Amino acid sequence: MKDTGLHGGDAEKRTVFRADCPSRPILDQIADKWSMMVMALLERPTRFNELKRNLEGITQRVLTQTLRRLERNGMIRRTVLPTSPVGVEYSLTPLGESLREPFGHLYDWTVAHSGEIQNCQRAYDTRADARPQGE
């Protein structure tokens, strides 16, 4: 049986899972839960405090770090508003907008399968609790 890569290529040509693959840090930075949730909220330009109000459980520090990371990766744009006091709003760039469709598929899949996944988690936890210690 021939080993194939992520998208059907030969294993010898596959670099997706190598430690030095440039996709790794990018995936780490844009595919974490907070980044994906922030991007889902940015259907229109949105201010920091509105984002924070809609992301229950996120700290100001983590939201700031997430926004900076997304801006650095070209996913969002930070716009300083000429108001008093100065305001800032965030919006998706065309690159960030291009993630909407694949993210939407992932979100839909998650919602559709969440009950099944929770059942699997409960079954696993029950089996794990029944295992002898040290196993």
Side-chain angles (χ1 to χ4, degrees), residues 43-96:
E43 293 180 0
R44 58 175 174 66
T46 308
R47 289 187 176 217
F48 182 93
N49 285 330
E50 184 178 350
L51 289 169
K52 188 165 181 334
R53 278 192 303 274
N54 288 300
L55 292 168
E56 190 173 305
I58 195 168
T59 65
Q60 182 164 332
R61 180 176 167 265
V62 170
L63 180 55
T64 298
Q65 290 172 336
T66 300
L67 290 166
R68 286 180 181 161
R69 194 171 47 244
L70 289 170
E71 183 181 11
R72 181 174 183 258
N73 286 311
M75 300 294 145
I76 65 170
R77 179 178 303 107
R78 179 180 185 269
T79 304
V80 177
L81 303 172
T83 59
S84 182
V86 174
V88 176
E89 66 182 15
Y90 298 89
S91 57
L92 290 177
T93 63
L95 185 60

Side-chain angles (χ1 to χ4, degrees), residues 15-41:
T15 59
V16 175
F17 300 113
R18 291 180 44 142
D20 62 347
C21 179
S23 68
R24 276 189 166 191
I26 296 168
L27 284 170
D28 286 344
Q29 292 173 9
I30 64 170
D32 70 89
K33 71 177 179 180
W34 294 122
S35 293
M36 296 309 290
M37 288 182 196
V38 164
M39 291 179 63
L41 288 173

